[in-house]
């Protein structure tokens, strides 16, 4: 009898081991096509009075709005995105007011979305690059200054739907962030 009990036990274990549990299906995360990133080769967008370097694969449009105010639109066609920069030449109280205004604008552009901030400094120039952690119209912004003669600010926007998933645009945001780090670290007068 013990032999029969042993065989039945083995048979029961074998049969229950083959049974599959019912699992609740879990949807897969959305997969996005990979965008081919631009090479990290840079060119001068403007050199007077401050040298501003941009990715050489991007198209650049520079317009002078006033004697002290220059707009630089850096278009990344492959990413379907535009980095809109403003270079303001100012000193003293005017520079302080402009810094306060741009800090407030960065906060308003984020609309309460949390962000991670990368800071960098090179010689007399310091800069911050806030990156939104959730979808927003301006997922990447920049503010750089020498605190005595100029202020460079800007924001990255993507074409079309402004509520694109953060994961979808992350490679392009990271690539442009690296371009901005290069730009800040090479700003010169």
């Amino acid at each position: 009898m013990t032999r029969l009990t042993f065989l039945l036990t083995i048979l029961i274990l074998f049969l229950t081991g083959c049974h599959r549990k019912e699992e609740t299906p879990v949807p897969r995360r959305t997969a996005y096509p990979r965008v081919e990133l631009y090479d990290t080769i840079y060119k001068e967008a403007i050199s007077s009075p401050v040298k501003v370097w941009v990715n050489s694969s991007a198209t650049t449009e520079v317009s002078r709005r006033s004697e002290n105010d220059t707009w630089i639109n850096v278009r990344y066609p492959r990413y379907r995105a535009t980095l809109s920069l403003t270079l303001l030449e100012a000193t003293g109280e005017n520079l302080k007011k402009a810094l306060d205004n741009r800090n407030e604008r960065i906060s308003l552009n984020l609309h309460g979305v949390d962000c991670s901030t990368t800071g960098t400094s090179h010689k007399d120039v310091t800069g911050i690059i806030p990156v939104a952690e959730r979808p927003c119209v301006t997922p990447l912004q920049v503010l750089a200054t020498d605190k005595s003669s100029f202020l460079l600010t800007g924001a990255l926007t993507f074409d079309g739907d402004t509520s694109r998933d953060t994961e979808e645009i992350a490679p392009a945001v990271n690539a442009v962030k690296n371009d901005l780090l290069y730009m800040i670290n090479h700003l010169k007068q």
Side-chain angles (χ1 to χ4, degrees):
M1 193 80 151
T2 57
R3 192 173 182 178
L4 182 60
T5 308
F6 177 74
L7 286 173
L8 283 174
T9 305
I10 297 282
L11 182 62
I12 290 171
L13 287 174
F14 179 73
L15 292 174
T16 57
C18 293
H19 182 265
R20 278 194 145 175
K21 292 182 181 179
E22 283 291 320
E23 292 185 22
T24 305
V26 177
R28 293 182 183 198
R29 291 178 19 199
T30 304
Y32 299 103
R34 291 181 188 221
V35 62
E36 184 180 346
L37 301 177
Y38 291 118
D39 200 359
T40 53
I41 300 171
Y42 300 95
K43 65 182 178 185
E44 251 182 48
I46 61 169
S47 62
S48 177
V50 179
K51 289 186 179 186
V52 177
W53 294 81
V54 298
N55 192 299
S56 62
S57 298
T59 58
T60 307
E61 180 184 314
V62 178
S63 59
R64 199 133 173 106
R65 293 296 173 190
S66 71
E67 185 178 316
N68 300 329
D69 198 6
T70 305
W71 288 2
I72 309 161
N73 287 321
V74 184
R75 178 86 180 121
Y76 293 86
R78 195 178 294 163
Y79 307 157
R80 297 182 307 142
T82 302
L83 177 63
S84 301
L85 299 168
T86 301
L87 176 63
L88 176 66
E89 300 166 55
T91 58
E93 191 61 31
N94 288 338
L95 182 61
K96 185 184 178 317
K97 284 180 183 178
L99 269 167
D100 291 343
N101 177 277
R102 295 323 298 170
N103 278 318
E104 181 182 7
R105 173 51 49 199
I106 287 172
S107 177
L108 291 171
N109 285 348
L110 288 169
H111 294 359
V113 172
D114 290 335
C115 70
S116 60
T117 303
T118 301
T120 186
S121 63
H122 177 71
K123 296 186 181 177
D124 294 329
V125 178
T126 59
I128 60 165
I129 304 170
V131 180
E133 295 178 356
R134 290 190 325 245
C136 75
V137 175
T138 54
L140 178 73
Q141 298 180 76
V142 64
L143 183 145
T145 184
D146 66 350
K147 296 183 183 167
S148 64
S149 64
F150 74 86
L151 173 64
L152 178 73
T153 61
L156 180 71
T157 55
F158 286 85
D159 300 348
D161 186 11
T162 58
S163 64
R164 291 169 49 185
D165 188 1
T166 306
E167 197 171 311
E168 177 185 5
I169 61 173
V173 167
N174 195 46
V176 175
K177 180 177 110 177
N178 289 334
D179 290 349
L180 288 172
L181 286 169
Y182 184 92
M183 181 187 299
I184 293 168
N185 290 328
H186 291 85
L187 285 171
K188 294 181 195 172
Q189 273 201 299

